[in-house]
Amino acid sequence: MAIQLGCTYLIVRNMKASIAFYESLLNMRADFRNPDRWVEFHCGNTLALWNPEFDKELIRKKQDVSDHFNEAYLKYKQEGELRYGNNVILNFNVIDLNAEYERVKSLGIGAVSEIFYINVVLPYHCFMLEDPDGNLIEITGEYS
């Protein structure tokens, strides 16, 4: 059996700002919420937001966290360093790129590029949007 992509999730610093950003961008509310740690959007595939500070705080506050984490996770959290922003580019497809470009600009939720034309493998148009953590989002679609 081949391995399959499950869920793509972004590490975020400010859940409230990130939830507001993605609810505005996707024009939908999150499907699953633990708003301090994890939210999911089912938008073709699953996109989730994870706040690692929730885990750090839980570990710091509790004497016994064995109900929540195993020893391997706790060791990883002590040794591992998280990077925020621009580790991956999310690509969303829309039917009308011009209309989506105007809609996203009007939301005022992040820096928006001009519409780009790219023709390296296949010709396409897109624009880029930056989320509150600096992750780049590419939005592609029919352009006229």
Side-chain angles (χ1 to χ4, degrees):
M1 176 187 236
I3 191 168
Q4 294 183 353
L5 180 64
C7 172
T8 300
Y9 60 96
L10 302 174
I11 299 168
V12 301
R13 287 186 178 105
N14 182 324
M15 282 296 272
K16 186 175 183 178
S18 294
I19 291 168
F21 175 89
Y22 283 97
E23 284 185 341
S24 293
L25 173 65
L26 300 173
N27 200 25
M28 65 186 303
R29 291 192 39 85
D31 296 299
F32 174 81
R33 290 172 170 260
N34 173 347
D36 295 326
R37 184 183 194 270
W38 183 269
V39 300
E40 290 179 4
F41 297 90
H42 299 285
C43 52
N45 288 311
T46 300
L47 172 64
L49 309 176
W50 172 48
N51 176 12
E53 296 302 319
F54 179 90
D55 294 2
K56 287 181 186 177
E57 187 64 20
L58 185 62
I59 292 165
R60 189 183 68 72
K61 282 182 176 179
K62 292 208 172 206
Q63 298 274 332
D64 179 15
V65 292
S66 60
D67 284 348
H68 302 287
F69 311 111
N70 70 4
E71 287 299 319
Y73 183 81
L74 294 173
K75 183 178 180 191
Y76 171 78
K77 293 308 289 175
Q78 290 172 349
E79 295 173 358
E81 182 167 331
L82 294 172
R83 291 182 11 190
Y84 290 89
N86 205 22
N87 295 317
V88 65
I89 296 176
L90 299 174
N91 172 266
F92 291 96
N93 295 300
V94 297
I95 293 171
D96 184 340
L97 187 65
N98 296 4
E100 186 64 9
Y101 182 71
E102 294 304 322
R103 185 188 78 83
V104 169
K105 280 185 7 183
S106 74
L107 293 172
I109 58 174
V112 180
S113 74
E114 297 296 319
I115 293 178
F116 302 136
Y117 172 73
I118 301 168
N119 185 3
V120 178
V121 176
L122 294 172
Y124 72 100
H125 289 86
C126 68
F127 66 91
M128 304 299 282
L129 171 66
E130 194 171 304
D131 82 359
D133 288 294
N135 293 300
L136 293 176
I137 298 162
E138 178 185 77
I139 300 177
T140 61
E142 292 296 318
Y143 177 76
S144 53

